[in-house]
């Protein structure tokens, strides 16, 4: 479609294609196509060349809102990269319109972009007027959706960092041994405390247990024979790295081509570096990534102190609810799974009444320690209330969650608790119910209820067991 005012567009098929692209975006999915079509007709389609400055930090001129149709833009504040927007339907500049404040960051086109732009007068509200334009209201709803999704993504990343037990995991994926060694040496000199793992092919990385989380992955993509025709494989490969929670650095000859750099960034790469890369340049990128990682980690840990159960040291109900809401917000878009394991200490009232509350508290702390020490990196253990706990297991279907639950059950059954021989079963044990999203339920309340029902069924069957379905096993 040719750039220009969309209300004059005569190519209806091109306009319909534009509506379809933006409707697929995460912020406009709930908007009826007819309404979106009416909104777009009030804007103009423009093309922005690479390095075009769309918004200048501190600018007080009347604001504009952009909707990204194609390409990638970078948000930069105080000369530091903050965020990349590369999904069709991404909103740009809406904060200045909603808040009426100077621009808080530069927005620069990282590649040639197609955007729909809306002039300030369409979004203007007269001073002290109780009325706002329909366009303003609709964009406010889109902004609310954006805020909800970005907050959810941030919470998920934060959980991955602060449950890492202090270990830093970095992966290097490259078929060339010399290049793997060079990357390892650069990483080792800049990030000495990191555990570095090497993979000599995409397959060896993909076959590695999916539960393993990485903080950073440095990967080549030249092992795909034909970049142009293997775009789907490359996209899936980058997405699989992203699912591990990693900051992705693509180090490849392919990155010497501008179109390929754009493609990789659009599909999730955080940094793209061409080969051969001078050692200094690679170390600079790694050092910058390391500094950003530890800044975020420190902020995350300070925030998590207010979200910790004081008795057990596990997450409290507030943090549990926040993470679950984030997963339900983000995971459906990529058709990802997660599981809940609900845990109850068997006959705990009997233990508490006979051994005293102080001993009961010590038992709960010991159970919490066993739970936390047997989890995957990125899983969340929380105290649900009383003697009940919940484990949240991201990127995990029912079968793997049941294996984890059985591992937790055995760990507690085999532990030595004071006076446990006086329990009705002769031991201190737990019963666990496992439910998975979206297989058991695609709504949060229903998922928690299902896990609780499986837990209750485990109690009914005699306790000290894992139940994950209604079938009698």
């Amino acid at each position: 479609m040719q750039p220009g005012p969309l209300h004059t567009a005569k190519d209806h098929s091109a306009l319909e294609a534009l509506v379809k692209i933006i409707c697929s975006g995460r912020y406009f999915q709930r908007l009826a196509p007819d309404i979106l079509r009416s909104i777009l007709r009030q804007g103009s389609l423009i093309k922005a060349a690479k390095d075009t400055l769309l918004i200048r930090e501190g600018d007080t001129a009347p604001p504009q809102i952009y909707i990204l149709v194609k390409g990638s833009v970078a948000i930069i504040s105080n000369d530091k990269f903050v965020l990349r927007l590369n999904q069709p339907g991404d909103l740009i500049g809406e904060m200045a319109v909603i808040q009426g404040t100077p621009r808080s960051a530069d927005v620069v086109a990282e590649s040639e972009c197609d955007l729909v732009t809306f002039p300030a007068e369409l979004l203007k509200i007269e001073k002290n007027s109780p009325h706002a334009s329909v366009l303003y209201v609709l964009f406010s709803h889109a902004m609310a959706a954006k805020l909800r999704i970005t907050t959810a993504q941030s919470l998920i990343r934060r959980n991955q960092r602060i449950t890492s037990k202090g270990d830093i995991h970095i992966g290097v994926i490259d078929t060339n041994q010399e290049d793997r060694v060079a990357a390892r040496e650069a990483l080792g000199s800049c990030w000495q405390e990191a555990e570095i793992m090497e993979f000599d092919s995409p397959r060896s990385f993909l076959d590695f247990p999916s539960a393993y989380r990485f903080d950073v992955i440095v990967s080549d993509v030249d092992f795909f024979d034909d970049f142009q025709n293997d775009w789907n494989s490359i996209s899936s490969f980058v997405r699989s790295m992203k699912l591990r929670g990693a900051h992705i650095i693509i180090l490849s000859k392919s990155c010497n081509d501008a179109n390929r750099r754009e493609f990789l960034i659009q599909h999730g790469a955080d940094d793209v570096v061409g080969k051969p890369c001078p050692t200094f340049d690679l170390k600079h990128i790694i050092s910058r990534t390391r500094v950003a990682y530890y800044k975020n980690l420190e902020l995350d840990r300070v925030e998590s102190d207010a979200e910790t159960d004081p008795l057990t040291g596990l997450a409290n109900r507030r943090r549990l609810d926040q993470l679950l809401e984030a997963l339900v917000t983000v995971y459906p878009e990529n058709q990802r799974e997660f599981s809940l394991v609900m845990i109850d200490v068997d006959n705990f009232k009997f233990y508490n009444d006979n051994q005293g509350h102080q001993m009961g508290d010590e038992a709960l702390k010991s159970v919490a320690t066993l739970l936390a020490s047997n989890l995957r990196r990125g899983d969340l253990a929380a105290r649900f209330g009383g003697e009940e706990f919940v484990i949240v297991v991201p990127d995990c279907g029912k079968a793997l969650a049941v294996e984890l639950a059985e591992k937790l059950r055995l760990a507690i059954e085999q532990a030595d608790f004071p006076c446990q021989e006086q329990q009705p079963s002769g031991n201190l044990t737990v019963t666990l119910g496992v439910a998975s999203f979206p297989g058991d339920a695609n709504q949060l309340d229903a998922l928690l209820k299902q896990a609780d029902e499986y837990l209750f069924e485990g109690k009914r069957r005699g306790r000290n067991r894992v139940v994950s379905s209604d079938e009698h096993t």
Side-chain angles (χ1 to χ4, degrees):
M1 190 171 189
Q2 291 299 316
L6 291 172
H7 70 273
T8 63
K10 296 181 180 179
D11 187 346
H12 295 293
S13 62
L15 180 60
E16 290 307 309
L18 193 62
V19 170
K20 187 175 181 181
I21 290 170
I22 294 176
C23 254
S24 68
R26 47 196 161 183
Y27 310 132
F28 293 92
Q29 288 179 348
R30 297 183 181 180
L31 206 60
D34 287 346
I35 295 177
L36 180 57
R37 189 180 300 107
S38 298
I39 292 174
L40 294 179
R41 283 190 174 279
Q42 298 181 66
S44 296
L45 181 66
I46 66 169
K47 286 189 178 291
K50 183 179 182 296
D51 297 327
T52 297
L53 183 63
L54 297 169
I55 297 174
R56 185 183 299 278
E57 188 170 3
D59 190 5
T60 58
Q64 292 194 82
I65 283 183
Y66 298 92
I67 301 178
L68 184 66
V69 179
K70 176 184 176 184
S72 172
V73 301
I75 314 297
I76 300 169
S77 181
N78 296 321
D79 296 323
K80 293 182 179 179
F81 174 85
V82 176
L83 182 67
R84 174 174 293 112
L85 300 177
N86 54 22
Q87 298 296 315
D90 275 349
L91 279 174
I92 306 162
E94 76 286 350
M95 288 299 294
V97 173
I98 301 297
Q99 296 182 342
T101 56
R103 306 323 157 257
S104 58
D106 288 338
V107 180
V108 182
E110 292 186 307
S111 62
E112 184 179 279
C113 297
D114 290 348
L115 307 108
V116 179
T117 180
F118 299 86
E121 57 265 23
L122 290 176
L123 303 155
K124 186 177 180 180
I125 299 178
E126 295 296 331
K127 188 175 181 180
N128 299 323
S129 171
H131 303 292
S133 70
V134 173
L135 193 63
Y136 183 98
V137 173
L138 288 170
F139 273 121
S140 296
H141 283 288
M143 180 190 167
K146 178 177 180 178
L147 182 61
R148 178 173 54 85
I149 291 171
T150 53
T151 300
Q153 291 169 332
S154 176
L155 284 168
I156 293 169
R157 287 193 296 270
R158 179 162 71 89
N159 182 66
Q160 291 169 346
R161 284 193 292 264
I162 62 180
T163 58
S164 65
K165 304 182 181 66
D167 298 326
I168 310 300
H169 302 298
I170 299 178
V172 177
I173 311 170
D174 203 313
T175 57
N176 186 295
Q177 184 178 4
E178 291 183 3
D179 288 344
R180 288 200 308 274
V181 170
R184 173 184 275 276
E185 289 178 350
L187 287 161
S189 65
C190 300
W191 213 326
Q192 297 178 2
E193 66 274 31
E195 175 190 346
I196 302 171
M197 301 187 66
E198 294 183 26
F199 301 90
D200 60 8
S201 69
R203 177 49 52 195
S204 63
F205 171 77
L206 294 172
D207 287 344
F208 197 70
S210 60
Y212 201 89
R213 299 281 176 178
F214 290 91
D215 298 286
V216 178
I217 295 176
V218 180
S219 178
D220 199 345
V221 290
D222 286 335
F223 27 68
F224 293 97
D225 295 331
D226 187 336
F227 197 102
Q228 188 67 34
N229 293 325
D230 281 346
W231 66 270
N232 194 40
S233 299
I234 296 170
S235 173
S236 298
F237 180 59
V238 174
R239 188 164 59 252
S240 71
M241 289 190 281
K242 207 70 178 177
L243 289 177
R244 303 290 186 117
H247 179 100
I248 301 171
I249 301 172
I250 301 295
L251 178 60
S252 172
K253 290 179 181 177
S254 293
C255 296
N256 292 315
D257 180 273
N259 291 329
R260 295 181 178 185
R261 287 198 303 272
E262 177 186 346
F263 176 86
L264 291 165
I265 288 170
Q266 287 178 345
H267 287 81
D270 296 288
D271 288 295
V272 287
V273 189
K275 282 184 180 179
C277 177
T279 302
F280 174 83
D281 290 349
L282 182 56
K283 286 184 177 180
H284 175 71
I285 292 169
I286 294 167
S287 297
R288 186 185 66 197
T289 302
R290 181 180 181 274
V291 169
Y293 175 86
Y294 280 113
K295 281 183 178 179
N296 287 328
L297 181 61
E298 190 59 33
L299 288 171
D300 294 342
R301 285 175 173 164
V302 170
E303 288 184 26
S304 72
D305 287 344
E307 301 171 346
T308 300
D309 176 61
L311 175 65
T312 63
L314 300 182
N316 62 15
R317 184 67 184 268
R318 176 189 171 194
R319 185 172 160 209
L320 171 67
D321 290 343
Q322 286 179 336
L323 180 61
L324 288 174
E325 289 285 356
L327 292 172
V328 170
T329 297
V330 172
Y331 273 33
E333 184 177 349
N334 297 316
Q335 298 182 328
R336 293 162 67 181
E337 298 177 292
F338 72 88
S339 295
L340 284 180
V341 182
M342 191 165 284
I343 305 164
D344 187 79
V345 181
D346 296 328
N347 299 306
F348 182 72
K349 185 177 185 304
F350 185 92
Y351 189 92
N352 222 20
D353 290 345
N354 285 274
Q355 310 308 328
H357 290 289
Q358 187 173 353
M359 287 283 284
D361 285 349
E362 290 301 316
L364 288 178
K365 287 194 281 188
S366 297
V367 168
T369 299
L370 286 167
L371 294 178
S373 62
N374 282 279
L375 294 183
R376 312 177 316 164
R377 187 162 180 255
D379 297 343
L380 179 74
R383 189 180 182 193
F384 196 63
E387 68 272 21
E388 271 196 315
F389 302 88
V390 169
I391 307 296
V392 184
V393 199
D395 296 310
C396 182
K398 179 68 72 72
L400 286 176
V402 169
E403 288 182 17
L404 173 63
E406 182 61 22
K407 177 183 174 184
L408 296 173
R409 186 194 68 79
L410 286 171
I412 293 169
E413 182 185 52
Q414 294 169 2
D416 185 16
F417 294 92
C419 306
Q420 65 178 2
E421 67 279 357
Q422 297 177 23
Q423 287 292 93
S425 62
N427 201 356
L428 191 70
T429 60
V430 294
T431 300
L432 308 93
V434 181
S436 296
F437 173 93
D440 286 303
N442 58 13
Q443 298 295 322
L444 188 51
D445 288 345
L447 188 67
L448 285 164
K449 181 181 179 184
Q450 186 63 75
D452 191 50
E453 288 177 357
Y454 289 151
L455 172 61
F456 181 80
E457 177 62 17
K459 294 284 190 181
R460 191 187 68 78
R461 295 182 194 177
R463 299 182 172 86
N464 190 24
R465 65 188 64 230
V466 175
V467 175
S468 59
S469 72
D470 295 321
E471 297 179 6
H472 187 82
T473 56

